[in-house]
Amino acid sequence: MVRLADLSSPGVAARAAAGAILAVPVGATEQHGPHLPLTTDTDIALALCDGLAAARPEVLVAPAVPYGSSGEHAGFAGTLSIGQEATEFLLLELGRSAAETFGRLLFVSAHGGNTGPVTRAAARLRAESRDVSVFRPRWPGEPHAGRVETALQLTMRPGSVRMERAVAGDRRPIGELLPLLREGGVRAVTATGVLGDPTGATAVEGKELLAGLTAALVSHVDEWRRA
């Protein structure tokens, strides 16, 4: 597994000339309940890119983008949001710059609030004749700081998890919560910042989840390359 930032400029040029793909982890800095770190979404995106690069040596992993559109988490200390427009513009300009070196660019976005900006940025880059793909990890069940993200973090960075502080939040299905979240943000439905129940999460479960998500990413890239 090779990270872009560890290489010299000539080293990058050589890898790019050989057909390297640049994978950009796109995350966020936002609350994830009382038990998970603010880096959770960024950690997931970076872990997926690292797993992809381990499976496909032609992939280089760019430094993660740690900020995104997290306005729905306003009111929780530590959340740093740059909004939809700034996120889109950041990714658009980043993509334009990356395309000067790399023939293919992959955004791996692990924060739901970034869906619109990353989709629009990728569409504009494609319209400018750049070869860009987007992967967004998806899983059934709890969407934010619940069992899934807690299990993933337990296998990625166990020292960052405070399971003794884990508490259940709003456990209603996401389809039922979406109108409330759009109107008033996460604070409107849960004082803990948690959507779901993280208390039963384990690292073993997280390892299986991460392996499955990584396999889905590898498959996505393989299909993109064939196309």
Side-chain angles (χ1 to χ4, degrees):
M1 183 271 294
V2 180
R3 290 187 174 175
L4 176 75
D6 294 331
L7 298 174
S8 67
S9 180
V12 172
R15 293 291 296 267
I21 297 170
L22 184 66
V24 181
V26 183
T29 299
E30 64 181 34
Q31 72 82 23
H32 273 74
H35 65 297
L36 292 181
L38 301 175
T39 58
T40 295
D41 289 342
T42 307
D43 293 341
I44 293 171
L46 183 56
L48 288 173
C49 287
D50 283 346
L52 171 65
R56 297 291 181 267
E58 66 274 20
V59 173
L60 293 180
V61 181
V65 177
Y67 303 112
S69 180
S70 300
E72 67 274 17
H73 296 282
F76 290 94
T79 295
L80 301 177
S81 175
I82 62 173
Q84 295 258 320
E85 291 185 5
T87 302
E88 179 181 344
F89 185 69
L90 184 157
L91 296 175
L92 177 62
E93 288 300 311
L94 178 61
R96 286 170 173 163
S97 179
E100 294 181 7
T101 300
F102 297 94
R104 284 185 169 175
L105 174 66
L106 171 70
F107 290 122
V108 177
S109 179
H111 168 52
N114 290 341
T115 298
V118 74
T119 300
R120 291 190 294 271
R124 287 189 64 181
L125 290 166
R126 291 190 200 104
E128 296 170 356
S129 300
R130 295 173 172 93
D131 194 355
V132 180
S133 187
V134 175
F135 179 82
R136 291 180 293 273
R138 292 188 173 94
W139 53 76
E142 303 168 350
H144 185 79
R147 186 181 185 107
V148 173
E149 288 191 324
T150 301
L152 287 169
Q153 195 68 302
L154 283 169
T155 196
M156 295 183 305
R157 291 179 56 214
S160 70
V161 182
R162 301 289 181 265
M163 284 305 291
E164 72 278 6
R165 300 178 187 172
V167 292
D170 197 307
R171 286 175 279 187
R172 285 176 287 179
I174 187 62
E176 185 177 339
L177 289 174
L178 273 177
L180 300 173
L181 293 170
R182 290 193 180 108
E183 182 178 349
V186 175
R187 177 67 79 178
V189 300
T190 171
T192 66
V194 176
L195 299 177
D197 185 357
T199 57
T202 67
V204 172
E205 180 182 7
K207 185 177 181 180
E208 294 176 356
L209 285 164
L210 184 59
L213 293 172
T214 301
L217 174 55
V218 171
S219 177
H220 172 91
V221 170
D222 288 347
E223 291 178 11
W224 173 38
R225 292 180 67 194
R226 284 194 295 269

